[in-house]
Amino acid sequence: MGVNKCNYQIDFKQRRIQDEFWTPFQKLVKNVVVPYQQAVLEDKIEGVEKSGAIQNFRIAAGLAEGDFYGMVFQDSDVAKWLEAVAYSLELEPNTELEAYADEIIEIIGKAQQPDGYLNTYFTIKDPDRRWQNLQECHELYCAGHMIEAAVAYYEATGKKKFLTIVQRMADHICNRFGPDKHRGIPGHQEIELALLKLYRATGEGRYRDLAGYFLDERGTEPNFFAEESEKRQWNHFGIDPEDRLYAQNHAPVREQNTAEGHSVRAMYMYTAMADYAAETGDAAMANACRALFNNVANKRMFITGGIGSTVEGEAFSIDYDLPNDITYNETCASVGLVFFTRKMLDLEPDANYADVMEKALYNGVLSGMQLDGKKFFYVNPLEVIPGVSGKLAGYKHVKPVRPGWYACACCPPNVARLPHITSKICLGRNR
Ligand SMILES: [Zn+2]
């Protein structure tokens, strides 16, 4: 089959959701979740995991003293929150929130290095080891989230400063990676879908082409992660570079037809593949997307739209292995499934994609946040056993109660940025 691209466009800014379910949810995110997460990222909430994410930018910018705090991908929490802010401002202007976001963007600009590089972990802790460990250190992943945030902020406010910052960063990445440059693929996919958004925001084809390069370089020989590991001789997490399924690095993406490995990485990659196929008319890429969708939807997805049924590697396992009580079902994976199915609808108007998108949105994603907007699930089981879940071996990942934040906080800001995207999903192309 070829690519039957949908050709409809609706101006999101002209439309509003008026719905008994989603309107209150969008208000909750705007009025509660966005301010709550701002306070968490600024370390102003007692009794939850420390974030340090905004302070890291202040330190990297030379505006504060101290050490980097948190995960190697801590920057992405700030980026996803800023993206949520952008959607919030699009729904309802808020001069105070916008002034604060501008201040954070100013700090991000100051944390950027003269060559365009932007990542607080390496800038503060390990500047000599930039770009040496793509497999484990998430530099491209953080860059992707920063790009998504900047594009959203530009579209919401018309202000170009953030977009200019990420373009300098993207150009730095373009100058480094690609055919006839350094070989490379991200350990955690995300940059691919972000570069496609940046391409559409700027019209610069080099961003689309680099997204295509990162997609097509994955799964090729020799194994990039093994080569990279051999060369650098140091590890961050200790992820096995030969575990090729984990990072969807087991086959060229056009030849992949079952959902394998880390489920969030898989979803972000499939999202980019579907987007790239719709954007370029690439029929082989579109066919791979259809096969991957069918495998997920028919054999590897829970009735809730939850995916990634094993805690081992936060990953897909095998067809029909869908255990209610020990499943993983990361919130971010269902968020990713919403993105993937939305892009499949851009590729072709098939109701199966909309059905799965709706299932994931109403169930797999929303279970990730408590109704008050201040507590979050990372893991979303279908069954919780008091005294067993969260306690016994094999069940420790299944928390019976939602915490207020996480040391690895990928999920909460992913939920924060989703309800606003929902408007774009329902009303037109999320592109
Ligand atoms: Zn997550």
Side-chain angles (χ1 to χ4, degrees):
M1 280 173 79
V3 173
N4 178 20
K5 191 172 169 179
C6 305
N7 287 313
Y8 59 92
Q9 274 285 13
I10 298 172
D11 182 358
F12 171 64
K13 286 188 177 178
Q14 308 279 318
R15 306 294 175 101
R16 287 290 177 271
I17 290 270
Q18 291 296 341
D19 175 80
E20 282 182 13
F21 187 83
W22 287 110
T23 302
F25 202 84
Q26 288 187 328
K27 278 189 184 150
L28 176 74
V29 170
K30 178 166 60 71
N31 298 334
V32 177
V33 181
V34 165
Y36 173 78
Q37 297 197 355
Q38 176 181 335
V40 171
L41 296 174
E42 287 276 23
D43 302 306
K44 288 181 177 160
I45 304 280
E46 296 279 324
V48 301
E49 284 282 350
K50 181 182 169 181
S51 167
I54 289 177
Q55 188 66 1
N56 287 340
F57 279 98
R58 292 201 177 94
I59 296 166
L63 302 170
E65 297 281 319
D67 290 329
F68 177 91
Y69 184 86
M71 310 293 285
V72 70
F73 45 83
Q74 208 79 346
D75 288 3
S76 61
D77 297 344
V78 178
K80 280 191 268 190
W81 178 80
L82 278 170
E83 190 181 346
V85 168
Y87 299 133
S88 178
L89 294 174
E90 215 163 37
L91 281 176
E92 186 179 272
N94 178 334
T95 48
E96 203 180 319
L97 179 63
E98 189 169 332
Y100 174 79
D102 285 342
E103 189 189 315
I104 299 299
I105 290 162
E106 187 79 28
I107 295 167
I108 291 171
K110 287 186 176 144
Q112 184 166 39
Q113 300 303 289
D115 62 358
Y117 183 85
L118 179 59
N119 183 289
T120 69
Y121 176 86
F122 284 98
T123 298
I124 296 169
K125 271 182 94 86
D126 234 346
D128 295 336
R129 287 183 162 178
R130 297 183 341 177
W131 300 129
Q132 289 182 21
N133 190 345
L134 300 190
Q135 185 199 359
E136 297 183 301
C137 287
H138 292 64
E139 285 157 294
L140 291 170
Y141 168 86
C142 289
H145 277 301
M146 208 54 83
I147 290 169
E148 284 201 273
V151 169
Y153 200 75
Y154 169 63
E155 287 176 352
T157 64
K159 292 176 180 170
K160 273 200 146 172
K161 178 162 187 142
F162 199 6
L163 193 67
T164 305
I165 291 168
V166 300
Q167 263 199 272
R168 284 186 58 218
M169 177 186 68
D171 288 340
H172 170 80
I173 294 168
C174 277
N175 289 336
R176 183 171 182 91
F177 298 105
D180 306 322
K181 299 175 192 169
H182 286 89
R183 187 175 178 225
I185 50 170
H188 194 314
Q189 299 91 322
E190 155 67 24
I191 186 79
E192 304 91 334
L193 70 85
L195 284 168
L196 289 165
K197 284 189 177 182
L198 188 60
Y199 157 64
R200 277 189 291 272
T202 62
E204 299 289 348
R206 63 184 179 278
Y207 303 138
R208 175 201 54 214
D209 297 345
L210 187 61
Y213 166 79
F214 282 139
L215 286 173
D216 274 325
E217 194 63 18
R218 187 170 293 275
T220 58
E221 300 299 335
N223 176 5
F224 170 73
F225 294 139
E227 266 190 344
E228 184 193 53
S229 168
E230 181 70 25
K231 204 183 320 177
R232 75 170 178 266
Q233 295 292 316
W234 58 273
N235 294 323
H236 187 80
F237 293 113
I239 299 171
D240 180 3
E242 295 298 344
D243 184 356
R244 299 186 69 160
L245 279 182
Y246 174 76
Q248 299 78 38
N249 191 28
H250 54 291
V253 297
R254 290 150 196 277
E255 295 168 23
Q256 296 189 22
N257 52 24
T258 54
E260 305 293 350
H262 188 276
S263 56
V264 182
R265 296 171 203 232
M267 285 303 122
Y268 288 3
M269 183 176 89
Y270 305 163
T271 301
M273 288 168 66
D275 196 0
Y276 187 81
E279 194 61 59
T280 62
D282 186 324
M285 191 75 89
N287 273 335
C289 291
R290 291 183 189 107
L292 291 164
F293 171 81
N294 286 330
N295 178 246
V296 171
N298 299 328
K299 297 178 179 173
R300 299 193 180 188
M301 181 180 78
F302 284 80
I303 196 168
T304 56
I307 49 171
S309 61
T310 176
V311 62
E312 294 288 334
E314 308 181 307
F316 287 101
S317 61
I318 56 172
D319 290 350
Y320 308 112
D321 174 35
L322 303 166
N324 286 342
D325 56 350
I326 57 163
T327 187
Y328 203 71
N329 288 9
E330 182 175 341
T331 306
C332 286
S334 288
V335 169
L337 182 57
V338 172
F339 293 158
F340 173 39
T341 45
R342 184 65 192 82
K343 290 299 177 192
M344 290 306 288
L345 279 172
D346 279 345
L347 203 55
E348 56 204 5
D350 181 333
N352 285 318
Y353 306 139
D355 282 347
V356 170
M357 180 173 72
E358 188 178 64
K359 194 182 298 240
L361 191 57
Y362 277 86
N363 300 280
V365 173
L366 288 189
S367 59
M369 187 166 78
Q370 191 164 287
L371 288 174
D372 70 358
K374 294 182 177 178
K375 292 198 158 63
F376 306 90
F377 270 149
Y378 188 118
V379 169
N380 296 274
L382 281 74
E383 181 183 345
V384 167
I385 310 163
V388 172
S389 302
K391 289 191 172 159
L392 296 193
Y395 292 85
K396 290 206 169 126
H397 60 289
V398 182
K399 291 192 189 314
V401 178
R402 293 172 179 86
W405 203 248
Y406 290 84
C408 171
C410 51
C411 299
N414 233 351
V415 179
R417 70 185 181 134
L418 199 76
H420 300 299
I421 294 174
T422 307
S423 296
K424 299 193 177 196
I425 286 167
C426 298
L427 294 173
R429 296 169 67 152
N430 171 30
R431 314 202 68 195

